[in-house]
Amino acid sequence: MANVAVIGAQWGDEGKGKVVDWLASRAEIVVRFQGGHNAGHTLVVGDQTYKLSLLPSGVVRGKLGIIGNGVVLDPQALLDEIAKVTAQGLKVSPENLKIAENVPLILPLHPALDKAREAARGGDKIGTTGRGIGPAYEDKVGRRSIRLCDLAEPETLSKKLDELLLHHNSLLRGLGATPFEKQPLLDALLALAPQLLPYGEAVWERLDAARAEGKRVLFEGAQAVMLDVDHGTYPYVTSSNTVAGNAAAGAGVGPDSIGLVLGIAKAYATRVGSGPFPSELHDEIGRRLGERGHEFGTVTGRPRRCGWFDAAMVRQAVKIGGVNGLVLTKIDVLDGLPELKICTGYRLDGAVVKHLPAAMRAQSRCEPIFETMEGWSGSCKGARSYAQLPAQAVKYVRRIEELVEAPVMMLSTSPDRDDTIALRDPFAG
Ligand code: IMP
């Protein structure tokens, strides 16, 4: 099978954008299958930097981009993003972007509810991006969503808005937030309809045809396994399944269409938002990783929490996410550190555990067990072959492979697309 799925193997922000861009140049179709504009992918191409949230990264490479039904789509955010990249010289039209007609929409009431809930949580915030992702997914499983195809049926839209507002306004009032009126929402959606509907289609048909023609498809995950709504550090997670298994349901293809699964992991660890992070560093080294790695959220600009590579957690992500091989990014950020640590498991109530437990309080009580390795004085920055890496850096990579029980198939050694060490073409199957 010549398809590839890319997912995050930590808490997001692993540098998927660059890897997806590199792979997109070898693919014919790039599909987003979950998440929404909470994601932020930075692509550096020559002297241009593209910051994408919703658009599949392939559009930068002139490939066909598909937004699958597993995404939650904010129409205004999409149109704004299209305008932004158009101003940077890219062309986005229904020729090169297709959106699943059954994709659920994010309306202004979703971020309003997201923010009102976060405010009500006080000190127990999830630390969401405030983009309405959680409330939009709740509406999907609650069978209340307004979907792209509804924009073509004003009567359906009007009826569905009544049901949606009954639900949301009760919640918003209860939370002391301002309720929404129907008519302005309806007018806004009907005004957006002519701009959005031309992108909509049964993308599963197109993907089925692509399969028959042997086209190479790249499934582009957002967020990461430890933010998965089932398998992550619940409730400090996003509201979708981020594992590769969801690429099938979120795009409308069978599970055998997914092909090779690459898990992206930073050579250290970061997290934005709240929640457990056993290998987190609160010292000078953590600050140094943050500075050298430019660890600020693409979407929210929040500084990311930084820590040592957590091999126990990445191993968990490898198993649950169905990862066949890892892509290790930002190894150059570790250049010059005299000593490195890798978390190999946790101590919990006097016992040693090999993976993060599911229960919330148990997760927060996990103490990391570290193994220490010598650092390297040379530089990994810009290396394009293993021979160009300091010997100690190669040892670090090999140790990670052993601990996470997966091969490192690619290494990224700078933000530049070409500073990549690839052992084989992932599309070769
Ligand atoms: P939400 O997805 O906005 O509901 O946020 C839920 C959690 O997921 C928060 O901790 C966010 O910081 C985190 N999150 C959502 N999207 C991303 C991402 O693209 N990268 C990293 N963290 C994310």
Side-chain angles (χ1 to χ4, degrees):
M1 174 55 60
N3 293 342
V4 176
V6 168
I7 61 170
Q10 294 161 319
W11 282 291
D13 309 316
E14 296 92 350
K16 288 189 286 296
K18 170 182 157 172
V19 179
V20 165
D21 178 43
W22 190 88
L23 289 165
S25 63
R26 288 152 180 82
E28 283 146 289
I29 302 178
V30 182
V31 187
R32 277 282 307 268
F33 58 89
Q34 47 74 227
H37 65 315
N38 50 349
H41 288 175
T42 305
L43 309 184
V44 182
V45 182
D47 56 2
Q48 281 278 20
T49 299
Y50 300 97
K51 288 191 186 290
L52 305 181
S53 276
L54 262 172
L55 289 172
S57 301
V59 295
V60 173
R61 294 280 153 207
K63 304 300 165 83
L64 177 67
I66 291 183
I67 296 180
N69 56 278
V71 169
V72 280
L73 181 83
D74 183 321
Q76 195 56 56
L78 176 74
L79 295 174
D80 291 348
E81 193 171 318
I82 292 176
K84 198 173 74 181
V85 299
T86 303
Q88 288 185 281
L90 292 183
K91 278 204 175 66
V92 181
S93 74
E95 290 290 301
N96 64 348
L97 176 68
K98 305 287 178 190
I99 306 178
E101 58 190 357
N102 51 345
V103 76
L105 301 183
I106 298 184
L107 307 187
L109 40 77
H110 293 116
L113 182 58
D114 195 355
K115 287 176 196 153
R117 282 226 189 92
E118 281 285 83
R121 283 187 188 114
D124 288 328
K125 282 187 187 12
I126 305 288
T128 72
T129 58
R131 303 279 165 109
I133 305 296
Y137 276 115
E138 286 170 38
D139 282 345
K140 170 169 150 167
V141 295
R143 296 168 291 199
R144 292 180 294 271
S145 281
I146 292 192
R147 311 197 297 176
L148 179 60
C149 49
D150 296 329
L151 299 186
E153 297 183 7
E155 274 179 31
T156 311
L157 195 57
S158 172
K159 236 175 111 197
K160 283 185 131 188
L161 268 178
D162 286 332
E163 193 193 343
L164 200 63
L165 284 172
L166 177 67
H167 179 83
H168 278 263
N169 282 344
S170 313
L171 288 170
L172 287 168
R173 281 196 198 94
L175 288 162
T178 316
F180 281 77
E181 282 176 30
K182 177 178 168 185
Q183 201 56 45
L185 282 176
L186 183 60
D187 292 346
L189 285 171
L190 290 173
L192 288 172
Q195 293 175 74
L196 288 169
L197 283 171
Y199 291 98
E201 67 168 29
V203 297
W204 60 270
E205 281 275 28
R206 185 175 293 273
L207 288 168
D208 185 55
R211 178 188 167 92
E213 291 161 24
K215 287 193 171 153
R216 290 184 300 275
V217 181
L218 175 64
F219 296 95
E220 175 181 3
Q223 293 87 45
V225 177
M226 284 299 141
L227 289 173
D228 182 283
V229 67
D230 285 292
H231 300 290
T233 47
Y234 193 90
Y236 301 99
V237 293
T238 191
S239 295
S240 61
N241 283 115
T242 56
V243 291
N246 192 33
V253 299
D256 61 340
S257 287
I258 295 171
L260 184 86
V261 180
L262 288 177
I264 319 297
K266 260 179 215 170
Y268 49 102
T270 63
R271 168 163 211 172
V272 278
S274 323
F277 184 174
S279 66
E280 184 169 9
L281 285 162
H282 298 281
D283 60 5
E284 194 44 47
I285 300 176
R287 267 194 298 282
R288 175 173 162 169
L289 291 177
E291 261 166 40
R292 293 194 53 170
H294 307 292
E295 298 296 355
F296 295 91
T298 315
V299 170
T300 57
R302 292 179 287 180
R304 296 175 185 144
R305 301 153 65 192
C306 297
W308 294 118
F309 187 86
D310 187 339
M313 188 190 83
V314 173
R315 177 181 167 277
Q316 193 167 340
V318 162
K319 308 286 175 191
I320 295 168
V323 169
N324 301 115
L326 275 192
V327 181
L328 210 57
T329 62
K330 294 183 125 177
I331 191 164
D332 54 299
V333 173
L334 301 177
D335 284 352
L337 284 175
E339 194 177 82
L340 304 173
K341 290 189 179 170
I342 302 179
C343 174
T344 58
Y346 315 100
R347 201 159 277 115
L348 178 62
D349 299 333
V352 171
V353 289
K354 288 306 244 182
H355 59 83
L356 270 183
M360 186 174 142
R361 292 210 45 225
Q363 281 180 356
S364 64
R365 291 203 321 278
C366 279
E367 295 287 335
I369 300 172
F370 286 121
E371 124 179 350
T372 305
M373 288 186 77
E374 217 180 285
W376 50 87
S377 51
S379 172
C380 294
K381 197 160 186 71
R384 294 184 184 186
S385 72
Y386 268 93
Q388 292 173 352
L389 290 177
Q392 197 55 33
V394 178
K395 272 196 195 160
Y396 182 71
V397 174
R398 297 290 172 240
R399 185 64 186 134
I400 284 177
E401 286 181 317
E402 277 169 14
L403 289 168
V404 306
E405 298 173 20
V408 170
M409 290 186 176
M410 283 168 66
L411 269 171
S412 161
T413 58
S414 96
D416 192 306
R417 190 166 84 105
D418 296 322
D419 291 339
T420 302
I421 304 174
L423 294 188
R424 69 179 174 111
D425 177 2
F427 283 107

